[in-house]
Amino acid sequence: MQIVLATSNKGKVKEISGFFGEIVVPYTHIIDAFDIEENGDTFAKNAIIKARAIYEKLPDDSIVIADDSGISVPMLGGEPGVYSARYAKIGASDKDNLHKLINELKKKNIKCTAAYYTAAIALVCLEGEFVVHGWMYGNVIDEALGGGGFGYDPMFIPEGFDKTLGELPSDIKSDFSHRTKALKLIVPIMEMIKLGRI
Ligand code: IMP
């Protein structure tokens, strides 16, 4: 079974391929990249929008999975949430968004505060549309430390640790990240589809 990944985000491709191995192929290996308007107001809606948009361009028997994810900071009213990829501006780089969040903390004199990552993983195939979620809790700090991970990882300290995901070895993130937790939930759905039980 080949699974098509509805993203070209290098950080996500690396983590999702690390989870599934070679059965996962980014959609850009099959068709040209194109813009998808993510206008949903939840991670789940945006994940479905992305998976459906790619599925519609592929043969009927394809299985497409999409990840929509982001970080939420309760002290900032849940920001950036579903706007994580365009927090600094539309088309912003990961670095722009990271520094925007650091600046928002600094403006409020917050050195460290609770935050969590959410990942919604959508699967679209002939048998239907499915969405699962995973979360990772911790704190964000008002500086970027370490070069590992991607996105907001250099300012995120997972619960139970005293270093950021930028500083910690990548296997720590892959053991219990929001993305890994959601991917673990999508596996039994894929198994049921494979067995023809859905
Ligand atoms: P999406 O591609 O629209 O789902 O945007 C997700 C954005 O959230 C990315 O651009 C990252 O900035 C951020 N993000 C999502 N997952 C992670 C993660 O695991 N680590 C760091 N940043 C993440």
Side-chain angles (χ1 to χ4, degrees):
M1 184 193 326
Q2 189 183 56
I3 304 151
V4 180
L5 197 49
T7 184
S8 50
N9 176 308
K10 287 199 181 105
K12 290 184 186 179
V13 170
K14 193 166 166 215
E15 290 186 13
I16 298 172
S17 305
F19 183 88
F20 282 119
E22 284 170 9
I23 52 168
V24 174
V25 181
Y27 84 96
T28 46
H29 288 196
I30 306 171
I31 53 174
D32 288 340
F34 62 100
D35 284 336
I36 302 167
E37 200 189 342
E38 293 173 35
N39 52 11
D41 56 1
T42 64
F43 293 108
K45 285 181 194 165
N46 284 331
I48 284 285
I49 287 170
K50 287 190 267 192
R52 202 183 276 155
I54 305 294
Y55 180 76
E56 282 167 1
K57 291 188 182 281
L58 297 176
D60 276 1
D61 61 349
S62 303
I63 295 181
V64 178
I65 62 169
D67 165 307
D68 197 76
S69 45
I71 193 165
S72 304
V73 181
M75 280 291 278
L76 298 178
E79 283 187 16
V82 291
Y83 301 105
S84 293
R86 51 195 146 121
Y87 191 38
K89 60 175 191 247
I90 290 174
S93 67
D94 271 10
K95 219 172 209 167
D96 295 336
N97 291 326
L98 170 76
H99 288 289
K100 160 92 174 154
L101 185 51
I102 288 174
N103 284 336
E104 292 302 316
L105 296 181
K106 282 188 190 291
K107 272 192 220 165
K108 295 194 153 53
N109 285 321
I110 299 170
K111 293 209 84 49
C112 176
T113 186
Y116 57 93
Y117 279 118
T118 304
I121 302 279
L123 185 153
V124 173
C125 61
L126 196 56
E127 288 78 6
E129 299 183 340
F130 309 85
V131 193
V132 294
H133 289 86
W135 288 271
M136 176 165 52
Y137 295 90
N139 285 288
V140 281
I141 54 170
D142 67 345
E143 58 183 328
L145 300 175
F150 69 99
Y152 298 93
D153 286 345
M155 67 183 296
F156 184 85
I157 300 177
E159 222 164 47
F161 293 86
D162 58 5
K163 286 187 167 35
T164 70
L165 285 175
E167 300 171 291
L168 291 166
S170 61
D171 55 329
I172 291 188
K173 184 177 181 193
S174 58
D175 278 353
F176 59 83
S177 78
H178 48 311
R179 189 159 293 107
T180 301
K181 286 175 191 155
L183 289 169
K184 281 184 178 165
L185 294 176
I186 210 80
V187 169
I189 297 174
M190 287 166 48
E191 291 297 323
M192 298 291 270
I193 292 166
K194 209 162 75 182
L195 293 170
R197 303 233 175 109
I198 290 182

